[in-house]
Amino acid sequence: MRNKALLAIFVLVVAGPLWEPRPAHADSPAFSDGTRAYASGDYRKALAYFQQARSAGIDGPAIHYNLAVCNYRLRSYPEAESEFRLIAERYPAMRALADYNIGLVLLAEHREAEAREQFDLASKTSADDKITRLADTMLRRMDSSAEPAKRGESWVSLVDVNVGHDDNVALLDDSSLPPGRSSDSAFSELLAVVSGPISRGPGLRFDGSLYAVDYADASDFNQTAARAGGAYRWSAGAWGMEAEIHFSDSMLDGNDFEHRLGAGLTLRRPLSKATVFGLSLMHEEVGSGESQYAFLRGSREQLGVTWDRYGANARLTLAYRYESNDRDSPAVSPTRNGVSLRYRYTMSPDWTADLSLGLRSSTFDNASIPRDEDRYDFSAAVRRRFARTWHVNGTYLWSDNRSDVAAFAYTRQRLSLGVTKDF
């Protein structure tokens, strides 16, 4: 009866999975709070409550189903897929329903070939006519011509405003100017981001951002930067792929500073239910605006490798990045290797914490005075959600750049407090 009740609710909406409204453990406070949060549309808070319920010992298909659905709504697709696959393995009576939902997750990730396999599996193995009809409907939709996505559907936008203090002011990309130029100053900054699909079928997406920072005591470093680009997503077997192209333009103290035209490729593949491997390649052609910044001209290549591990309330990310620069000036043409570790933990429905550690080694073999540098980074951030689409956040950053040429050694501390509005 429990599975039938779940399916009856699920059939109402083909576009996405729903949760079981009244499981046997509905008297659990955390589970009840999660159900109410989900009904109100606050999927992030609902996810945190369901995670609390699982940590308190609640088990069974309903808790895993709810976790999967919340992750699906939040577009955390690897986590959603992991929960649905767990249901398929542990609860044979729900396998066809889980297979259908896995198909929805894979389709949302533009992994069409894998999604088709899941829908076909659900259609052929389900003993319930409703699931068979749903799966067949999705297969027919995939076979028909893709309809253009509605403007605004699945689009993400936000505005972030911060104030703080930086005791070693530097550019966003600190490879852009030779080290040694710094200043101590309070600052205010603005970041606006918009991203969303251009069309449903081909997996086309637009990304845009605008950044501005004003330093009260170091106006020479005031910056504005705009970036726009597009991406194309597709799948090949278990691999999810994304090709992108972007253009960025920045100004420094009101002067035309730097232009970048770049293209890249990102690949992601699940290694297990809770682990995802990623590989990225990027090439950028760099130009300058005014002649005083001509030394920036040239190119940059980057290679990145990531390993993500997802837990009930946490995400652990290990990353490696290689960077090679070929600029007109050897002073801004380092070869770099970097490793980082990031841990994100959901403390409660409204509170999230992030801790990061990093080490980056840079070699300037062709500089007038060759040198090697090692930079150690630590950052800590807390974020609190309120009123559903508003956040307050605080971030602390510490860096220690050690160089065998004393003039290029420095330390840095940056503290910021801000407010973010999601749209």
Side-chain angles (χ1 to χ4, degrees), residues 3 60-61 84-100 121-122 125-128 131:
N3 296 339
F84 282 131
R85 290 194 183 278
L86 185 149
I87 293 171
E89 291 180 4
R90 289 189 183 179
Y91 309 100
M94 298 182 66
R95 181 168 296 161
L97 178 60
D99 286 334
Y100 175 82
L121 183 63
T125 61
S126 177
D128 192 301
I131 297 178

Side-chain angles (χ1 to χ4, degrees), residues 89-147:
E89 291 180 4
R90 289 189 183 179
Y91 309 100
M94 298 182 66
R95 181 168 296 161
L97 178 60
D99 286 334
Y100 175 82
N101 286 328
I102 293 169
L104 292 179
V105 174
L106 296 173
L107 192 59
E109 293 186 293
H110 302 285
R111 295 159 60 185
E112 285 82 3
E114 295 172 87
R116 183 183 297 277
E117 292 178 2
Q118 292 296 143
F119 292 138
D120 187 60
L121 183 63
S123 173
K124 292 179 178 178
T125 61
S126 177
D128 192 301
D129 291 341
K130 294 185 179 70
I131 297 178
T132 300
R133 287 197 298 270
L134 286 172
D136 289 342
T137 297
M138 294 307 297
L139 289 169
R140 287 194 298 271
R141 288 185 179 183
M142 294 181 70
D143 289 334
S144 63
S145 299
E147 299 177 1

Side-chain angles (χ1 to χ4, degrees), residues 243-264:
E244 70 152 290
I245 186 170
H246 66 265
F247 175 77
S248 64
D249 182 75
S250 60
M251 300 185 71
L252 178 64
D253 192 25
N255 299 313
D256 193 6
F257 177 58
E258 186 181 64
H259 317 296
R260 295 192 182 194
L261 177 63

Side-chain angles (χ1 to χ4, degrees), residues 89-415:
E89 291 180 4
R90 289 189 183 179
Y91 309 100
M94 298 182 66
R95 181 168 296 161
L97 178 60
D99 286 334
Y100 175 82
N101 286 328
I102 293 169
L104 292 179
V105 174
L106 296 173
L107 192 59
E109 293 186 293
H110 302 285
R111 295 159 60 185
E112 285 82 3
E114 295 172 87
R116 183 183 297 277
E117 292 178 2
Q118 292 296 143
F119 292 138
D120 187 60
L121 183 63
S123 173
K124 292 179 178 178
T125 61
S126 177
D128 192 301
D129 291 341
K130 294 185 179 70
I131 297 178
T132 300
R133 287 197 298 270
L134 286 172
D136 289 342
T137 297
M138 294 307 297
L139 289 169
R140 287 194 298 271
R141 288 185 179 183
M142 294 181 70
D143 289 334
S144 63
S145 299
E147 299 177 1
K150 294 180 180 179
R151 206 79 162 131
E153 180 180 348
S154 299
W155 282 71
V156 176
S157 57
L158 65 86
V159 174
D160 182 60
V161 179
N162 289 273
V163 295
H165 184 270
D166 192 333
D167 70 1
N168 194 335
V169 173
L171 290 178
L172 270 177
D173 180 354
D174 54 8
S175 71
S176 295
L177 286 183
R181 294 183 58 185
S182 65
S183 183
D184 182 297
S185 178
F187 67 86
S188 58
E189 63 182 354
L190 168 71
L191 172 67
V193 176
V194 61
S195 177
I198 300 174
S199 63
R200 186 186 305 277
L204 291 172
R205 190 186 74 242
F206 169 81
D207 297 306
S209 65
L210 175 66
Y211 176 83
V213 59
D214 182 89
Y215 294 102
D217 303 312
S219 61
D220 287 351
F221 289 95
N222 289 349
Q223 305 159 50
T224 58
R227 175 181 169 121
Y232 178 84
R233 299 181 64 183
W234 75 100
S235 61
W239 289 92
M241 303 185 181
E242 180 174 290
E244 70 152 290
I245 186 170
H246 66 265
F247 175 77
S248 64
D249 182 75
S250 60
M251 300 185 71
L252 178 64
D253 192 25
N255 299 313
D256 193 6
F257 177 58
E258 186 181 64
H259 317 296
R260 295 192 182 194
L261 177 63
L265 177 67
T266 299
L267 302 89
R268 287 177 65 83
R269 178 189 175 99
L271 300 179
S272 68
K273 296 177 183 178
T275 307
V276 179
F277 169 80
L279 178 67
S280 62
L281 301 168
M282 178 69 68
H283 173 83
E284 288 184 314
E285 290 294 323
V286 183
S288 66
E290 302 187 13
S291 58
Q292 60 181 313
Y293 303 124
F295 62 89
L296 298 172
R297 296 169 184 166
S299 63
R300 181 173 75 160
E301 284 80 35
Q302 290 182 315
L303 165 68
V305 179
T306 59
W307 179 90
D308 287 289
R309 176 74 178 179
Y310 298 90
N313 302 307
R315 175 179 177 178
L316 181 67
T317 301
L318 297 174
Y320 164 78
R321 174 170 290 184
Y322 170 81
E323 176 183 324
S324 176
N325 287 271
D326 183 12
R327 308 293 188 94
D328 284 0
S329 171
V332 292
S333 297
T335 297
R336 287 175 164 154
N337 290 274
V339 292
S340 63
L341 172 67
R342 179 183 180 186
Y343 181 71
R344 169 171 288 184
Y345 181 68
T346 302
M347 299 179 289
S348 75
D350 296 316
W351 288 91
T352 304
D354 275 280
L355 294 175
S356 297
L357 296 171
L359 169 61
R360 189 188 71 182
S361 295
S362 303
T363 301
F364 295 80
D365 287 334
N366 298 318
S368 57
I369 303 178
R371 68 184 188 277
D372 293 322
E373 298 179 356
D374 290 321
R375 194 181 78 182
Y376 300 85
D377 295 310
F378 167 76
S379 67
V382 292
R383 181 181 178 93
R384 190 188 190 293
R385 174 187 292 269
F386 66 96
R388 291 185 58 184
T389 60
W390 289 88
H391 311 261
V392 292
N393 53 80
T395 304
Y396 171 76
L397 169 68
W398 171 87
S399 296
D400 181 5
N401 193 70
R402 303 177 184 182
S403 174
D404 53 13
V405 177
F408 297 99
Y410 64 87
T411 60
R412 181 189 186 193
Q413 295 189 82
R414 189 179 195 268
L415 179 65

